Amino acid sequence: MRRILWVICVLALVWAVWWFWAASLVQRAADGWFEDRRAEGWQAEYGALDVSGFPFRFTAQMGVLALADPATGVAVTASGLNMAAPAWWPGDLTVTFPNDAITIASPRARATVLMHDAVAAVRLHPGPMLALETSGLTAGPWSVNGPGGQVVSAADLAVTMTQHTAPHTYQITAQATDLRPGAGPRATLRVPQNWPLTFDRFALDMEVQFDRAWDRRVIEDARPQPRHIRIDLAEAVWGQMALRTAAELSVDPQGVPTGTVSLQARNWQDILVLAESAGLLPAALVPQAQSALSMLAQASGDPRAIDATLTLRNGLVMIGFIPIGAAPRIYLR
């Protein structure tokens, strides 16, 4: 019995020494990473880092956080983060976001994000590059606010990104309940006053192959770029208007997509008006698009519904041989 107790005491002592040594490494690693970013020209600052959780976890409470990447122009500011991971593998990380505003700025826009009970779970592959295996974000009520007021809000949010067996390929899903465009976007889109305030359904399920894996270079270098996209379902239902798509696209290094998009639309006339109002469809192409869509709707047997396949080729979106607009560039900044 004494021998067993002695072994237990020795193991406990070794574990305690290892835990405090690893906790000090967490502090030094954070300091080193932020110092490396500053050497590259970033703004990279954070408040005090308090590491606790002995004996079985690492729990790190980070103070005010400010990051700005000069290469992309993207900047993030938050009042702090809480991070937790098992002591035996810190790569299984859980991040709890603050309930107050997170500011995100880019060369194109500036916004503040408010999320209640937002938690991100990240599982990294052991190794020097810390490649992403799975990640997920869940949140209660959230909103995005711009200089002109609220842009969008919802009752909840669930986003997942899971590594596929194919190289550099990830399954991505997203869903939001009671998605609600703000007053500004509704006015820009010329949404009728009697239109519902919230979407009935908003969901996405897709598979994306990137040019490289998502790993530590995502923050330190540049974002991986999509090279093949398969959308199993992208669905938005808003009042009497419904849009469902599936797609198979290849994306070249310039971000130009090529492939097909299957489109199902209910009350397509309203969707066309919204696309024009949002600037997604040039006014000069509206009559041509309306004529082509009308023919497709008549062919489907319902003048207010469309079930068609769009072709993306040579930088254009086409219905059959009729171009209806420029294909969007797909590039992650």
Side-chain angles (χ1 to χ4, degrees), residues 263 268 272 288-298 306 319:
L263 174 67
W268 61 269
L272 191 63
Q288 186 178 9
Q290 188 165 12
S291 176
L293 293 173
S294 180
M295 288 189 295
L296 287 172
Q298 291 175 2
I306 290 176
I319 298 179

Side-chain angles (χ1 to χ4, degrees), residues 33-34 37 42-45 65-69 74-78 219:
W33 188 89
F34 277 79
R37 302 291 76 73
W42 286 48
Q43 177 194 2
E45 308 291 341
L65 176 69
L67 290 172
D69 181 359
V74 175
V76 179
T77 305
I219 298 178

